[in-house]
Amino acid sequence: MAGPRVVIIGAGVVGAAVADEVSARGWSDVTVVDQGPLPATGGSSSHAPGLVFQTNPSRTMTGMARDTVAKFGSLDVDGRPCFLPVGGLEVATSPERLAELHRRHGWLTAWGVEGRVVGPEECVALHPLLDRERVLGGLHVPGDGLADAVLAVEAQIRAARSRGVRFLPGHEVLDVRTANGRVAGVVTDRGEIPADVVVCCAGIWGPRVARMVGMELPLVPLAHQLAWTGPVPALAGQADEAVRPILRHQDADLYFRDRFDRLGIGSYGHRPMPVSPDAIASVADAEVMPSVLRFTEGDFADAWAETRALLPATREAKIEEGINGLFSFTPDGMPLLGESCDVRGFWVAEAVWVTHSAGVGRAMAEWLVDGHCSSYDLHECDVNRFEDHQLSPQYVTARGCRNFAEVYDIIHPLQPAGEPRPLRTSPFHPRQEALGAVFLEASGWERPQWYESNARLSAGRSVPTPNEWAARYWSPVVGAEALVTRETVALYDMSSLKRIEVTGRGAVGYLERLTTGVMDKSVGSVTYTLMLDEDAGIRGDITVARLGPDRFQVGAGGNLDLDWLRGHLPDDGSVVLRDVTAGTCCVGLWGPRALEVLAPLADRDFSDAALRYFRTRPAYVGPVPVTAMRLSYVGELGWELYTTADLGLRLWDTLYEAVVAHGGIAAGRGAFNSLRLEKGYRAFGTDMTFEHDPYEAGLGFAVRAGKTGFVGQAALERRRERVRRRLTCLTVDDPVSVVMGKEPVLDGSRPVGYVTSAAFGHTIGKGIAYAWLPAELAVPGRELTIRYFDRDVPARVAEEPLFDPSMSRMRGTPRTSAPGDVTPPVVTR
């Protein structure tokens, strides 16, 4: 037997895929257990309608769906195919939905999947049951189709068995045994199975299994209605199971599929019906199977009425059967993949639908066998991405139900996720409310996007109004706040930045090993650095401040950074990590008059000579003790000022009074994003992720020359010589065409990349879009286009940063200068 002892819990479409993929990579000491029979185990896979639509705003999810299509298309069971490539068609019955289909087509173009927006006549030609008068157009994806999940399970079981994998049906998992912080075995009603690795693929039972090792899994099962008509006369004599494309009518939360002379109808338009994982029936007690509940006909009335309106031929048919089938939902609609941060060897692959199952199997196999996933960027799917409050049952249920209700809705990139809100507020929140803050949410934090109290500042300023889509969750105040920051001074709430304290005798060596920069510097140093995976992909970009000989503060991007740091702690207790975010707060004081504001309030000298750029020191601001760091994410002179949460309100009041006296303001995240893009500052998770290395991302400066012994070093040296793509700055002259991110970039008619971050640069008077492009196209002056809905927007590759490339405004003596005082661009690469 090769590899560790592996037990996979769950033999549905995910568990079977993981077993197949890990055994194909050489692990053969693998046992798969399931409480139900094979191959229809009674979970969600056993009743799934099998529609595989590849279109998704997530590049990762589209990639997983594409790989599922490819794999299932190659599988059969005794000549019966596991996938029917009938294509997919999404139809629009409103102008808003037609515009959304163009946006969705942009995702396909960006992610490399064939598709096209078609007119109403072609929609009817593709799916003749459609009412031509109702349809305005459609999105046709030829590669979509129907997966037979049960057949796919059987095919993958056969392949895995041929490599030595054991499958044990009728084995109910009672416990997962652990020892010394690691899994040791799986206890079933038929005995215990020793294990070095346990992979939980239990689907709707996932939270129950995860709790066996003390892990809270943010997953809620919800019932989803699926009905089948009786014979439809217009389909009489159809000998093949499916001949028409799978169909989505998202304006009414409906989808449809063929089944010979009948139609399957799925609805997300009914009330959310959450079910506790503990209330799901056992295999023995279930009426049909555990994941199938009785059909509630009243909930389906609107869906049936809309079906007969869109597909008139169904008026001659009746609903013959139906189910309320359980599927898994998460707070953000993404899967749950990865290893427990508390119990080593316990992995999960949960909240995965048939559409993405084979891709997830491949991702998990790479992660388990190779130590990292090379096929996909998994930062959106990592199970450890959630904050503690996002694991509460109330939160999980509320957000899961909302995701169910919005599964087919048109969601704006800035649209807040809704209740429960507010959850996390900085100490400054009461003052922000008084200033008319318009709050958006990030990781539970209420963050001001702009302040209505600054509306008067828009008068007389040239703040162009963007297109209708970009103007949602936007105000001209955003532009005014950006310009005032450049002109005078502004106060920014930075409390949502995760702050991690690293202490102990081994802290220096620990951080040296995990980062690309030098950590053994003088007390008071601040270093921008990167954490890399073994394959040199960027795990996170962080700032590390040395506050004492054995004490550091890490400014991190989120919980994944904390998980990465925890996962690499030495076993000897020489390093202690503490997330201090909740007990602290931070304001950014930035702008050419920042020193004029701070100097009279502080007990220390904050001049350039006394506190240089990227240095930190303790001080008092009025009566408030602060840790001051000479940093700026907006490209202006200033400091990040940290204090404890109990003193935060006093710090805000002290600073705000002085800021206003110097003609300044409080400013929000809208202005912040515009200013940071003018400076070319990257945002992890948006501009670069696990799949990108520092040289591709334009962050090679954060890799200390000659440094050795850090995680990812060997791979980074290899990748340095073969940079084939670059994160590239594009500018757009048209002030109305403000793109939002994830749009495809074209060279002529050829798709060549996609947009990451975008905003209007109010200082430079142009739209800004960062995009991943082939290295040979990342040449300043190169003319390209960005596909924005159904329009092509001219764009041009630009030198970066677009604003103050000499860094004089942050590094030099503060000066009051007009926003147009921009240094000519210089080459920074």
Side-chain angles (χ1 to χ4, degrees), residues 638-661:
W639 302 268
E640 292 179 356
L641 302 171
Y642 299 86
T643 193
T644 52
D646 59 324
L647 293 168
L649 197 58
R650 184 60 182 268
L651 176 63
W652 177 277
D653 288 344
T654 302
L655 289 169
Y656 184 72
E657 182 180 359
V659 163
V660 171

Tab-separated table of all heavy atoms in Angstrom, residues 638-661:
chain	number	residue	atom	x	y	z
A	638	GLY	N	1.812	60.459	5.955
A	638	GLY	CA	0.914	60.137	7.045
A	638	GLY	C	1.300	58.895	7.805
A	638	GLY	O	2.369	58.307	7.592
A	639	TRP	N	0.401	58.498	8.678
A	639	TRP	CA	0.670	57.427	9.629
A	639	TRP	C	-0.574	56.568	9.839
A	639	TRP	O	-1.709	57.050	9.742
A	639	TRP	CB	1.069	58.016	10.988
A	639	TRP	CG	2.263	58.892	10.902
A	639	TRP	CD1	3.582	58.550	11.080
A	639	TRP	CD2	2.262	60.291	10.592
A	639	TRP	NE1	4.395	59.640	10.887
A	639	TRP	CE2	3.620	60.717	10.583
A	639	TRP	CE3	1.269	61.220	10.292
A	639	TRP	CZ2	3.995	62.026	10.300
A	639	TRP	CZ3	1.630	62.530	10.017
A	639	TRP	CH2	2.988	62.917	10.029
A	640	GLU	N	-0.322	55.322	10.148
A	640	GLU	CA	-1.345	54.469	10.739
A	640	GLU	C	-1.163	54.566	12.236
A	640	GLU	O	-0.059	54.332	12.758
A	640	GLU	CB	-1.193	53.023	10.261
A	640	GLU	CG	-1.514	52.832	8.785
A	640	GLU	CD	-1.333	51.396	8.319
A	640	GLU	OE1	-0.875	50.558	9.129
A	640	GLU	OE2	-1.631	51.110	7.146
A	641	LEU	N	-2.217	54.903	12.943
A	641	LEU	CA	-2.165	55.114	14.381
A	641	LEU	C	-3.042	54.065	15.064
A	641	LEU	O	-4.256	54.019	14.853
A	641	LEU	CB	-2.649	56.519	14.737
A	641	LEU	CG	-1.875	57.660	14.069
A	641	LEU	CD1	-2.576	58.994	14.312
A	641	LEU	CD2	-0.435	57.706	14.588
A	642	TYR	N	-2.418	53.211	15.874
A	642	TYR	CA	-3.100	52.103	16.539
A	642	TYR	C	-3.246	52.397	18.020
A	642	TYR	O	-2.320	52.923	18.659
A	642	TYR	CB	-2.299	50.809	16.384
A	642	TYR	CG	-2.109	50.359	14.963
A	642	TYR	CD1	-1.053	50.842	14.186
A	642	TYR	CD2	-2.977	49.437	14.385
A	642	TYR	CE1	-0.878	50.429	12.879
A	642	TYR	CE2	-2.810	49.010	13.078
A	642	TYR	CZ	-1.750	49.507	12.333
A	642	TYR	OH	-1.580	49.095	11.037
A	643	THR	N	-4.385	52.009	18.563
A	643	THR	CA	-4.576	52.060	20.005
A	643	THR	C	-5.566	50.981	20.405
A	643	THR	O	-6.085	50.246	19.559
A	643	THR	CB	-5.052	53.452	20.460
A	643	THR	OG1	-4.947	53.552	21.884
A	643	THR	CG2	-6.497	53.721	20.042
A	644	THR	N	-5.816	50.880	21.693
A	644	THR	CA	-6.771	49.887	22.175
A	644	THR	C	-8.189	50.360	21.901
A	644	THR	O	-8.454	51.561	21.781
A	644	THR	CB	-6.580	49.631	23.670
A	644	THR	OG1	-6.592	50.882	24.362
A	644	THR	CG2	-5.259	48.928	23.932
A	645	ALA	N	-9.104	49.417	21.796
A	645	ALA	CA	-10.468	49.742	21.393
A	645	ALA	C	-11.147	50.689	22.377
A	645	ALA	O	-11.944	51.545	21.973
A	645	ALA	CB	-11.280	48.453	21.245
A	646	ASP	N	-10.813	50.578	23.669
A	646	ASP	CA	-11.473	51.426	24.653
A	646	ASP	C	-11.103	52.902	24.507
A	646	ASP	O	-11.855	53.782	24.923
A	646	ASP	CB	-11.153	50.944	26.067
A	646	ASP	CG	-9.668	50.946	26.369
A	646	ASP	OD1	-8.875	50.654	25.449
A	646	ASP	OD2	-9.282	51.222	27.517
A	647	LEU	N	-9.962	53.167	23.891
A	647	LEU	CA	-9.509	54.548	23.712
A	647	LEU	C	-9.733	55.049	22.284
A	647	LEU	O	-9.368	56.179	21.951
A	647	LEU	CB	-8.022	54.661	24.053
A	647	LEU	CG	-7.672	54.425	25.527
A	647	LEU	CD1	-6.163	54.280	25.704
A	647	LEU	CD2	-8.203	55.562	26.385
A	648	GLY	N	-10.321	54.206	21.458
A	648	GLY	CA	-10.462	54.557	20.052
A	648	GLY	C	-11.303	55.793	19.820
A	648	GLY	O	-10.954	56.648	18.996
A	649	LEU	N	-12.423	55.917	20.512
A	649	LEU	CA	-13.297	57.060	20.289
A	649	LEU	C	-12.598	58.361	20.661
A	649	LEU	O	-12.736	59.375	19.959
A	649	LEU	CB	-14.590	56.888	21.086
A	649	LEU	CG	-15.762	57.763	20.661
A	649	LEU	CD1	-16.119	57.542	19.196
A	649	LEU	CD2	-16.974	57.499	21.538
A	650	ARG	N	-11.840	58.334	21.733
A	650	ARG	CA	-11.094	59.542	22.121
A	650	ARG	C	-10.027	59.879	21.082
A	650	ARG	O	-9.800	61.059	20.775
A	650	ARG	CB	-10.458	59.350	23.501
A	650	ARG	CG	-9.737	60.592	24.025
A	650	ARG	CD	-10.689	61.788	24.156
A	650	ARG	NE	-10.016	62.998	24.608
A	650	ARG	CZ	-9.904	63.366	25.882
A	650	ARG	NH1	-10.435	62.589	26.843
A	650	ARG	NH2	-9.296	64.473	26.225
A	651	LEU	N	-9.377	58.869	20.529
A	651	LEU	CA	-8.380	59.116	19.490
A	651	LEU	C	-9.042	59.761	18.281
A	651	LEU	O	-8.521	60.742	17.714
A	651	LEU	CB	-7.699	57.810	19.089
A	651	LEU	CG	-6.692	57.900	17.931
A	651	LEU	CD1	-5.516	58.791	18.303
A	651	LEU	CD2	-6.194	56.507	17.525
A	652	TRP	N	-10.182	59.216	17.842
A	652	TRP	CA	-10.890	59.788	16.703
A	652	TRP	C	-11.249	61.252	16.964
A	652	TRP	O	-11.007	62.126	16.121
A	652	TRP	CB	-12.139	58.970	16.412
A	652	TRP	CG	-12.979	59.509	15.290
A	652	TRP	CD1	-13.910	60.518	15.369
A	652	TRP	CD2	-12.961	59.098	13.916
A	652	TRP	NE1	-14.475	60.752	14.141
A	652	TRP	CE2	-13.906	59.894	13.225
A	652	TRP	CE3	-12.253	58.134	13.212
A	652	TRP	CZ2	-14.156	59.753	11.865
A	652	TRP	CZ3	-12.502	57.981	11.852
A	652	TRP	CH2	-13.436	58.779	11.186
A	653	ASP	N	-11.845	61.511	18.127
A	653	ASP	CA	-12.286	62.876	18.422
A	653	ASP	C	-11.110	63.847	18.450
A	653	ASP	O	-11.202	64.974	17.951
A	653	ASP	CB	-13.017	62.908	19.762
A	653	ASP	CG	-14.386	62.244	19.701
A	653	ASP	OD1	-14.895	62.037	18.575
A	653	ASP	OD2	-14.939	61.920	20.770
A	654	THR	N	-10.019	63.407	19.037
A	654	THR	CA	-8.836	64.267	19.127
A	654	THR	C	-8.318	64.609	17.734
A	654	THR	O	-8.005	65.771	17.431
A	654	THR	CB	-7.740	63.572	19.945
A	654	THR	OG1	-8.241	63.266	21.252
A	654	THR	CG2	-6.499	64.446	20.069
A	655	LEU	N	-8.217	63.611	16.898
A	655	LEU	CA	-7.686	63.825	15.546
A	655	LEU	C	-8.691	64.563	14.663
A	655	LEU	O	-8.311	65.465	13.895
A	655	LEU	CB	-7.330	62.483	14.913
A	655	LEU	CG	-6.117	61.761	15.490
A	655	LEU	CD1	-6.044	60.342	14.958
A	655	LEU	CD2	-4.831	62.518	15.150
A	656	TYR	N	-9.964	64.181	14.737
A	656	TYR	CA	-10.946	64.748	13.824
A	656	TYR	C	-11.080	66.254	14.011
A	656	TYR	O	-11.175	67.018	13.032
A	656	TYR	CB	-12.303	64.071	14.011
A	656	TYR	CG	-13.347	64.557	13.025
A	656	TYR	CD1	-13.279	64.203	11.682
A	656	TYR	CD2	-14.380	65.400	13.432
A	656	TYR	CE1	-14.218	64.655	10.768
A	656	TYR	CE2	-15.328	65.856	12.523
A	656	TYR	CZ	-15.234	65.482	11.196
A	656	TYR	OH	-16.168	65.948	10.289
A	657	GLU	N	-11.073	66.696	15.250
A	657	GLU	CA	-11.168	68.137	15.508
A	657	GLU	C	-10.021	68.885	14.845
A	657	GLU	O	-10.212	69.936	14.220
A	657	GLU	CB	-11.168	68.394	17.019
A	657	GLU	CG	-11.305	69.859	17.390
A	657	GLU	CD	-11.307	70.077	18.889
A	657	GLU	OE1	-11.223	69.093	19.649
A	657	GLU	OE2	-11.379	71.252	19.316
A	658	ALA	N	-8.809	68.325	14.944
A	658	ALA	CA	-7.654	68.967	14.328
A	658	ALA	C	-7.681	68.854	12.811
A	658	ALA	O	-7.275	69.780	12.099
A	658	ALA	CB	-6.372	68.356	14.890
A	659	VAL	N	-8.158	67.717	12.305
A	659	VAL	CA	-8.251	67.530	10.853
A	659	VAL	C	-9.177	68.582	10.244
A	659	VAL	O	-8.846	69.226	9.232
A	659	VAL	CB	-8.751	66.099	10.533
A	659	VAL	CG1	-9.248	66.000	9.102
A	659	VAL	CG2	-7.635	65.080	10.753
A	660	VAL	N	-10.332	68.772	10.842
A	660	VAL	CA	-11.289	69.753	10.332
A	660	VAL	C	-10.706	71.156	10.394
A	660	VAL	O	-10.888	71.972	9.474
A	660	VAL	CB	-12.612	69.659	11.116
A	660	VAL	CG1	-13.540	70.806	10.750
A	660	VAL	CG2	-13.294	68.328	10.840
A	661	ALA	N	-9.967	71.454	11.441
A	661	ALA	CA	-9.353	72.782	11.578
A	661	ALA	C	-8.349	73.069	10.473
A	661	ALA	O	-8.071	74.237	10.165
A	661	ALA	CB	-8.685	72.897	12.948
